[in-house]
Amino acid sequence: MAEEVKLFGFWSSPYSRRVEVALKLKGIQYEYIEEDLFNKSPLLLQYNRINQKVPVLLHNGKPISESRIILEYIDETWKNNPILPQDPYERATARFWGEVIDDKILMGAWKAVRSENEEQKQAIEELHRSLKLLEKELDEKDFFGGDRVGYVDIVAFVIAHWLWAFQEAAEVELIAEEKFPVLCKWSRKLLEIQVVDECHPPRGKHVDYYRVKIEATKLSSK
């Protein structure tokens, strides 16, 4: 009996896109279901009753939500091409950096582009401190997972694409080659991998989407 794997996602969401990367790296066949976040489907509301967000992975009728939890579920369910380290300490460290990336870097970047003046300056400074720490963690490795893509690389996919889209949409510098050469080199190497390259949104459409979203956020805060 074939396994049923479905992914409810949204085209511009870094959270659902990272799950797609993991599924593709594992070679898992799945059905992708695009959600309209302004008119959520009854199935999404049924499968994620708590926060009603994407992504939701449906495996043989059982729903799993929250992207980092989904990544761990995928790794534990399909043992081939492991994405999390086997060593308990390294595994815990990878989880820690995953949380830093989401809470400090992704949310920090979003705060920076939707704020202005002194608040924006402080947000960018905080973001850059977090990026520097992450860059130090990468050290001289090709990937955070060593010689191949792992859990931290998949979560940090947001840096390789979304931060660049954010800064182009907001016309503010979040990341640049001269300030973060190690992360920029890693980003290029990551996007050279076919399954990763397949999972990032179209650049122009993505920038336009966030330009509108950023402007709307700023107007609503006035």
Side-chain angles (χ1 to χ4, degrees):
M1 181 179 173
E3 290 191 291
E4 179 193 50
V5 181
K6 296 181 179 180
L7 175 64
F8 294 80
F10 181 62
W11 71 272
S12 77
S13 167
Y15 305 109
S16 56
R17 290 290 187 166
R18 69 174 50 148
V19 174
E20 287 194 80
V21 170
L23 290 168
K24 287 176 180 289
L25 285 172
K26 293 274 190 177
I28 301 164
Q29 297 297 311
Y30 67 97
E31 177 186 350
Y32 176 77
I33 300 165
E34 176 73 9
E35 280 289 332
D36 178 353
L37 299 188
F38 300 99
N39 184 24
K40 297 171 184 177
S41 72
L43 283 177
L44 177 63
L45 301 180
Q46 174 188 337
Y47 291 135
N48 191 356
R49 295 175 181 172
I50 302 300
N51 59 28
Q52 302 179 350
K53 295 179 180 179
V54 295
V56 172
L57 183 76
L58 192 67
H59 181 213
N60 293 335
K62 297 178 180 178
I64 305 98
S65 57
E66 298 298 329
S67 66
R68 298 202 314 269
I69 293 173
I70 295 172
L71 292 182
E72 293 196 40
Y73 178 85
I74 290 170
D75 206 37
E76 291 168 2
T77 303
W78 293 275
K79 302 295 185 182
N80 62 304
N81 300 330
I83 57 176
L84 273 158
Q86 298 303 303
D87 177 79
Y89 177 76
E90 292 179 1
R91 198 177 182 90
T93 301
R95 289 192 183 107
F96 167 79
W97 282 111
E99 188 167 336
V100 168
I101 291 162
D102 278 355
D103 293 352
K104 300 291 187 182
I105 295 176
L106 179 54
M107 288 297 98
W110 182 240
K111 180 181 179 181
V113 296
R114 61 190 174 92
S115 58
E116 296 177 299
N117 305 321
E118 188 60 30
E119 183 183 358
Q120 183 178 72
K121 181 182 176 182
Q122 291 178 1
I124 292 173
E125 288 174 355
E126 290 175 14
L127 171 65
H128 286 177
R129 280 194 291 271
S130 297
L131 287 171
K132 275 298 180 187
L133 290 171
L134 185 65
E135 191 170 62
K136 187 176 180 181
E137 176 68 14
L138 185 58
D139 198 19
E140 296 180 359
K141 297 176 290 188
D142 285 340
F143 301 105
F144 291 97
D147 58 356
R148 61 183 184 143
V149 172
Y151 174 87
V152 179
D153 300 283
I154 294 170
V155 178
F157 183 27
V158 298
I159 298 169
H161 184 84
W162 275 260
L163 259 63
W164 295 93
F166 283 0
Q167 74 173 11
E168 188 174 341
E171 299 180 0
V172 61
E173 186 180 287
L174 302 177
I175 185 168
E177 182 85 36
E178 58 271 18
K179 288 184 179 177
F180 304 101
V182 176
L183 279 175
C184 288
K185 181 181 178 182
W186 162 84
S187 295
R188 289 191 295 271
K189 193 175 289 288
L190 184 69
L191 292 173
E192 286 172 359
I193 299 170
Q194 183 177 349
V195 296
V196 178
D197 185 55
E198 290 171 357
C199 291
H200 68 74
R203 183 68 172 265
K205 180 182 177 183
H206 206 204
V207 170
D208 289 343
Y209 172 80
Y210 279 114
R211 185 175 288 123
V212 172
K213 194 174 177 69
I214 290 164
E215 191 59 36
T217 304
K218 287 182 177 180
L219 287 173
S220 66
S221 64
K222 291 180 179 179

